[in-house]
Amino acid sequence: MEFTKKKALGQNFLTSDNIPIRIASVCGADENTGVIEIGPGMGILTKQLLNISPKVVAIEIDEELIPHLNSRFEGCDNFKLINQDVIKCDLDDIIETEFGGMECCVCANLPYYITTPIVMKLLEGKYNFKSITVMVQKEVADRLAAKPKEEGYGAITASVNYYAKVVKHFKVGAANFSPKPKVDSAVISIIPYKDKPVKPICEKTFFEVVKGAFATRRKTLVNSLSSVFGNRLSKEALLSIITESHSPTVRGEELNVAELALISDKIQKHIQEE
Ligand code: SAM
C-alpha cells in the first residue's frame, strides 16, 4: 500500500515480526484476556495479538490507515477497529461494549509525542486493566522505572508508581523502525495495583504535593511546596511537617510515593484544621 508516514502522529513503524512477537509474549494477553491496542499502524503488532487473544480492539487516529487495516484483518472475527483519538475516546464505553466482563490488557507501540497523556489516561481512568504493556522512548522507560535519588526520578515516576508497578522488559534499537527515530526504545509493563499500597487522605492534595515537589529540582522540598501551598499554610508549618520525618533540606527527588503521601496527609490535616 502507498502510504506516507506522518511524523506528527509519531508514525515510526516496526519493520519485522521479531519485536512484535516479543512484545505480544510479555503483554499479558492469553486465551482469556482481551487486548486494546493503541495505534495499530499497518497492523504488525495487531497480527501477533490476534494470534493469542480472543478479542483485539485497535484504536487508530489516522483515517488513512483504516481501509488497509480492515482489509488486512478481514475475516478475523476477534478484530475490531475504532477510528478515534485515544485521548478523546470513551474507554469505559469501549470496554463495556467490546469486552463485556472479559479481563483486558493494553498493548501498544506508543506514538512518542503523546506517551505521558496516554499512560496517565489509562491509569487515572481506573479501568481495571490486567496490565499496560507499551513501547516508549528508552529515556521515558528509565524515568518510569527510576527509584528515588536516581536520574530521571520525577513527578511522572511518582504519579505512575502511585497507581502501578513498572516492569522493564527489553530495549529496542532505533534500527527496528521505519522511519528510524533518533532515539532507542524500550518495552515496559505498567501493572495497575488492584489495591493501591499507598492511600493518601486526599488524592488532589497528594498530586499537588507530587507536582510541587518536582517542579523546581534545585529547591528544597519546603521551598517547592510553599510555592504551591503558601496561601493555605505558613512556611513554618510546612517546615515543621517536613522535619517530623526528614531533614529541613530534603528535596522532592529523595522521597518515595509513601513518603510523599505522608507529607500530603499532614498538609491536608493542617489545612482542614485551619
Ligand atoms: N503499532 C504500529 C507499529 O508498531 O508499527 C504503529 C506504531 S506508531 C509508533 C504509533 C501509531 O499510533 C500510529 O499508527 C499513529 O497513527 C497512531 N496514533 C498517533 N496518535 C494517536 C492517537 N492520539 N490515538 C490513536 N492512535 C494514534
Side-chain angles (χ1 to χ4, degrees), residues 9-14 37-42 44-45 59-62 65 84-87 109-111 113-114 118:
L9 290 180
Q11 291 181 344
N12 299 95
F13 294 163
L14 285 164
E37 186 191 5
I38 298 163
M42 306 291 272
I44 195 163
L45 175 59
I59 304 171
E60 173 58 61
I61 196 172
D62 187 355
L65 290 165
Q84 278 186 37
D85 178 343
V86 70
I87 294 295
N109 168 13
L110 283 183
Y113 77 100
I114 201 176
I118 294 177

Side-chain angles (χ1 to χ4, degrees), residues 181-250:
K182 290 194 180 73
V183 290
D184 288 331
S185 299
V187 177
I188 55 170
S189 285
I190 299 169
I191 303 173
Y193 293 120
K194 300 270 179 239
D195 182 22
K196 289 201 268 308
V198 175
K199 298 182 180 71
I201 301 171
C202 173
E203 246 186 22
K204 186 169 170 278
T205 306
F206 170 72
F207 282 110
E208 280 184 281
V209 168
V210 169
K211 211 170 149 209
F214 298 98
T216 39
R217 294 188 78 86
R218 284 196 305 272
K219 277 194 190 173
T220 60
L221 186 62
V222 66
N223 283 337
S224 306
L225 292 187
S226 49
S227 317
V228 182
F229 294 101
N231 56 347
R232 287 166 278 174
L233 213 58
S234 70
K235 196 166 173 182
E236 291 67 37
L238 257 178
L239 187 64
S240 129
I241 285 173
I242 289 168
T243 51
E244 274 177 40
S245 355
H246 305 282
S247 109
T249 57
V250 72

Side-chain angles (χ1 to χ4, degrees), residues 48-91:
Q48 302 307 329
L49 296 171
L50 286 166
N51 284 340
I52 49 179
S53 171
K55 178 91 192 229
V56 177
V57 175
I59 304 171
E60 173 58 61
I61 196 172
D62 187 355
E63 62 181 20
E64 247 194 278
L65 290 165
I66 302 305
H68 163 79
L69 286 162
N70 274 329
S71 94
R72 179 168 186 179
F73 300 115
E74 199 183 353
C76 291
D77 295 340
N78 56 341
F79 177 65
K80 171 79 189 251
L81 183 58
I82 298 179
N83 182 201
Q84 278 186 37
D85 178 343
V86 70
I87 294 295
K88 295 191 189 142
C89 74
D90 183 343
L91 273 182

